Amino acid sequence: MNSRMQSAGNLVGSTGWKARFWDGAVEGTVAALGRIEVGEVLTLTAVRLLVDGVELPGAVEASAWQPWEVSLDTPQVAVRRSTTFEDQHVQWFEIQSAAAGSITVWIEFETRSPLKIAIDDGVVYWESELGRVVAVACNPAATRVVTGCEAADVRRLWDAGVDFNGWAQVGELRDSHGVVACGLPAGRSGVLALAVGRTRQEALEKLTAAQGSPQTVLEHARGTWEQFFADNVPACPRAGYEELWREAWYVLRANRMDYANPPLSHPFTSPSKFNYPHQWLWDSAFHAIVWRWLKSSDWARMELSNLLEHPLEHGRLCHEIHFSPWVCELNYQHGHQPFAPTSQPPVMAIAVELVHQRDKNDQWLRQTLPKLVAYLQWWHIARDPDHDDLAGWGCGWESGLDNSPRWDHVAQAGKLWFPAPVEATELNALLVQEWRAVARLAGHLGQTKIQNLAESWAGRIKSAMIERLWDTADEFFYCRDHREKPIRMKTVGGLLGLLALDPGDAQVSGLLRHLTDEREFWTPYPIPSVARDEPSFTTGQMWRGPTWINTNWLLIRSLERLKQGTLAVELARRTLAMVQSEGSAKLWEWYDPITGRALGNKDYSWSALVIDLLMDQSGHAI
Ligand code: GLC
């Protein structure tokens, strides 16, 4: 494409593209052209405007890792983008043209599953194998439309004046892409809209509605959001945190997805719909813990349904359920099926117990309990080959602490699996808590055999941890690597050993000394994933130093159980301060433990655990 500057463009960094219906700020004056999800099926990666074939400044390629946001406002063309975001999946660009030449709107997108592309009566249809159709059209009718898979092909057809290229098949790769070019008559303003439906008919109806009366569609969408807050979200429980409260619910709600296709048959919350658009195991457990605070607990139970309905070999719950087998194959080389071959940190029983405490739904509990038992036993069957009662991570991704420096010497280049499971403190401490939760739940249902089994596992694992992972000299828990050698590195994983301990245990005070030491874990925005005085500590790389909300949440709740209330409250206070440290609430993936800066993926669902911290700072010890 020719990117010669046609006019003095004005690129403005902006966050205005996101439809924040709850504060009414949905319509910016200038559009933002950004990485845009369309019905979970595809992502727009670039929108360019051309006047008489020459590109205006302002179109920017999206980088997969960092969604970009820019506004485009030139003397010739202003674009205002609106979107109804989640439920309705309609979005449109209002193009105000003062240009004498003809305008070409050029859209590039990536798909997450193969698409068929068709043009019928001036409307472009992208049809996904996942049962979604995206309809795209311009109003007034575009002078011509060309669509296809390769930018160069589309450009060639466009330049040759061809206005129809029939059916096309987008390739079979994850980063498949497509292009559509629409022409607007000279000097005309128009609305370019995209709408998603399960059928062509549904998509077309939404499209027509958006073009006919965008305002009505917007009002409807805004109404849906307002209704969600009014009907289901409890009032912010603490004065001064209203903005954070709204933002956190917004993020969680906006990441909710509904593919309605097996095995993702039930709606669920993606960790971040921009880069993590399917379902993860421990993420969903954390999401359910937050969803339980809605006035109805339906969404909390539903959050776990896809996972619980698909136990795999020996009861394994799946790490990632992909909506498209083809994405799974790309990530894991595990055959053309939607289930990842791994599991993830066990938080499921903790989540089930907390949800059950809210809604007392014994029928659901009766159905769920056997699955929890089978799942916890799977760890002992599949991940404890030396039968010493300590389970291990099969690979870095399974640990959820993907790139922890503890795995550096274990992981083998190009291989998914560790040579043997790594007996990690956090895994075994979580298993202790999970079995304790199962014991209480079984006790509640009067299932004594299961209760006894669960209590016995909790005791055995705790003893094995203290015997084999506790370092008396350093007063810290260290993992054992694939050769059973201690990995002498202080990370949040070792601190999470607190989960397994009981008040009065000798190890508690030692761990707390590390936790509160400013040279180690007590940074301005604690708790860093790696202690500050470790050589591998860095502030900018996921699990190699940054602070995460989920591990803070686990630590806060266990500090409460260990009767360390003052410390728990202070850690919660600093966690809340961290997500607001840049002036406004930012629920991102991870944070700089020194400056509090939000990093990683934006609008990340489990960071909404701050809701749980606000809801109750003292009474929900785990
Ligand atoms: C990252 C995290 C992992 C999480 C996943 C989805 O890979 O390291 O723990 O489950 O994102 O949010």
Side-chain angles (χ1 to χ4, degrees):
M1 302 273 300
N2 185 340
S3 59
R4 182 164 64 80
M5 296 273 285
Q6 171 80 358
S7 63
N10 182 22
L11 280 179
V12 193
S14 152
T15 53
W17 62 271
K18 194 162 77 167
R20 288 174 193 280
F21 292 109
W22 47 268
D23 64 5
V26 61
E27 294 158 281
T29 48
V30 183
L33 307 179
R35 193 171 172 85
I36 302 160
E37 298 298 300
V38 183
E40 295 122 23
V41 169
L42 56 87
T43 301
L44 300 188
T45 49
V47 180
R48 308 167 193 279
L49 290 174
L50 291 78
V51 177
D52 283 339
V54 179
E55 188 179 347
L56 295 179
V60 180
E61 306 289 342
S63 108
W65 190 242
Q66 196 170 14
W68 44 265
E69 297 140 15
V70 289
S71 300
L72 175 58
D73 187 11
T74 75
Q76 288 182 308
V77 183
V79 181
R80 187 171 76 181
R81 176 178 162 260
S82 301
T83 171
T84 59
F85 221 51
E86 208 224 21
D87 293 29
Q88 294 83 7
H89 297 313
V90 184
Q91 46 183 290
W92 60 93
F93 301 85
E94 291 181 45
I95 303 153
Q96 316 277 322
S97 170
S102 67
I103 305 266
T104 305
V105 184
W106 178 276
I107 299 177
E108 295 173 13
F109 59 91
E110 285 174 359
T111 69
R112 302 203 182 108
S113 79
L115 289 182
K116 272 203 273 184
I117 307 177
I119 302 176
D120 189 1
D121 206 13
V123 178
V124 177
Y125 295 98
W126 298 326
E127 301 191 336
S128 151
E129 64 168 16
L130 303 167
R132 290 290 188 285
V133 179
V134 185
V136 192
C138 229
N139 184 14
T143 49
R144 59 199 181 101
V145 180
V146 171
T147 186
C149 307
E150 295 296 336
D153 293 346
V154 172
R155 183 67 202 229
R156 194 170 35 75
L157 291 167
W158 186 259
D159 289 345
V162 175
D163 69 354
F164 177 63
N165 74 336
W167 287 89
Q169 181 79 36
V170 173
E172 297 276 331
L173 293 170
R174 182 188 184 183
D175 61 349
S176 289
H177 53 277
V179 175
V180 63
C182 299
L184 270 181
R188 294 287 299 271
S189 297
V191 178
L192 173 82
L194 297 86
V196 182
R198 274 160 218 248
T199 59
R200 271 197 194 191
Q201 185 58 24
E202 197 193 331
L204 187 59
E205 276 164 22
K206 287 184 184 177
L207 187 79
T208 315
Q211 290 182 325
S213 176
Q215 207 49 39
T216 317
V217 175
L218 261 186
E219 285 310 320
H220 175 71
R222 182 179 292 131
T224 311
W225 277 93
E226 280 164 5
Q227 207 166 353
F228 165 67
F229 276 101
D231 294 352
N232 225 344
V233 176
C236 176
R238 286 180 63 192
Y241 287 96
E242 290 78 7
E243 194 226 333
L244 175 59
W245 184 253
R246 303 279 286 186
E247 177 70 10
W249 283 111
Y250 172 82
V251 165
L252 205 61
R253 174 79 178 85
N255 280 333
R256 204 154 178 269
M257 293 190 159
D258 182 7
Y259 288 116
N261 261 335
L264 292 173
S265 314
H266 305 278
F268 65 95
T269 318
S270 66
S272 158
K273 71 196 294 173
F274 298 102
N275 283 319
Y276 297 151
H278 45 260
Q279 187 160 21
W280 266 260
L281 179 58
W282 75 325
D283 296 72
S284 277
F286 290 120
H287 305 160
I289 288 169
V290 182
W291 282 132
R292 85 194 201 279
W293 290 117
L294 286 184
K295 291 175 195 164
S296 154
S297 59
D298 289 357
W299 284 14
R301 278 181 278 106
M302 204 180 285
E303 180 71 23
L304 307 175
S305 298
N306 294 323
L307 297 156
L308 289 167
E309 277 177 13
H310 294 99
L312 302 166
E313 76 288 345
H314 303 297
R316 171 169 69 91
L317 294 184
C318 187
H319 172 169
E320 278 179 77
I321 306 184
H322 299 76
F323 60 87
S324 167
W326 144 100
V327 175
C328 185
E329 168 60 11
L330 213 103
N331 286 351
Y332 291 98
Q333 285 90 50
H334 175 57
H336 204 69
Q337 53 133 327
F339 302 106
T342 40
S343 191
Q344 250 198 331
V347 188
M348 200 56 140
I350 294 172
V352 167
E353 187 182 29
L354 289 173
V355 172
H356 180 262
Q357 271 171 16
R358 275 283 285 171
D359 71 2
K360 315 271 187 288
N361 186 332
D362 283 357
Q363 198 195 343
W364 176 69
L365 184 59
R366 245 176 244 115
Q367 289 162 0
T368 306
L369 194 64
K371 296 179 183 178
L372 295 179
V373 173
Y375 172 51
L376 296 182
Q377 280 176 324
W378 172 82
W379 286 100
H380 305 296
I381 296 168
R383 294 287 186 267
D384 181 14
D386 58 2
H387 306 294
D388 64 355
D389 291 345
L390 292 175
W393 302 127
C395 67
W397 283 2
E398 187 161 89
S399 76
L401 280 58
D402 311 3
N403 64 344
S404 174
R406 287 175 299 170
W407 328 138
D408 285 358
H409 73 288
V410 184
Q412 296 170 313
K415 290 202 176 150
L416 175 68
W417 300 104
F418 293 156
V422 170
E423 294 171 346
T425 312
E426 66 278 11
L427 169 57
N428 290 287
L430 277 168
L431 284 171
V432 171
Q433 272 301 7
E434 290 271 285
W435 278 120
R436 285 177 182 152
V438 164
R440 286 188 293 267
L441 292 169
H444 170 79
L445 294 178
Q447 300 187 4
T448 324
K449 257 168 92 174
I450 299 222
Q451 185 183 356
N452 293 341
L453 173 82
E455 280 167 1
S456 130
W457 267 119
R460 280 167 63 174
I461 302 168
K462 181 181 167 186
S463 306
M465 279 177 64
I466 291 174
E467 196 180 304
R468 297 172 55 76
L469 304 182
W470 182 250
D471 186 293
T472 332
D474 290 3
E475 295 194 291
F476 204 78
F477 282 114
Y478 293 124
C479 304
R480 289 199 171 229
D481 73 8
H482 55 300
R483 295 197 187 87
E484 294 276 335
K485 290 225 174 65
I487 307 178
R488 309 185 66 83
M489 205 183 282
K490 284 173 295 170
T491 71
V492 71
L495 288 184
L496 285 169
L498 287 167
L499 280 162
L501 299 178
D502 291 290
D505 280 345
Q507 298 75 18
V508 173
S509 56
L511 281 179
L512 293 187
R513 261 197 299 283
H514 291 285
L515 189 149
T516 53
D517 188 331
E518 288 178 6
R519 289 160 305 178
E520 299 178 47
F521 291 101
W522 202 244
T523 56
Y525 296 101
I527 299 292
S529 38
V530 172
R532 203 174 173 173
D533 59 352
E534 285 290 347
S536 55
F537 170 83
T538 154
T539 55
Q541 282 182 47
M542 291 186 89
W543 296 100
R544 302 179 80 89
T547 297
W548 291 68
I549 306 288
N550 67 328
T551 42
N552 274 18
W553 182 87
L554 286 166
L555 286 168
I556 291 163
R557 292 307 185 219
S558 30
L559 288 171
E560 285 163 359
R561 197 176 47 81
L562 294 168
K563 312 270 179 267
Q564 301 293 326
T566 314
L567 192 53
V569 168
E570 179 55 15
L571 183 51
R573 192 190 67 74
R574 291 204 191 197
T575 307
L576 295 172
M578 179 173 74
V579 299
Q580 303 184 99
S581 64
E582 290 181 72
S584 62
K586 278 192 167 178
L587 280 303
W588 285 34
E589 191 177 13
W590 26 278
Y591 297 83
D592 183 315
I594 315 291
T595 64
R597 187 161 157 241
L599 296 164
N601 281 296
K602 62 185 291 177
D603 293 354
Y604 189 70
S605 294
W606 81 34
S607 295
L609 279 166
V610 293
I611 289 172
D612 194 71
L613 297 180
L614 285 169
M615 209 57 203
D616 191 314
Q617 288 227 16
S618 60
H620 287 268
I622 59 163

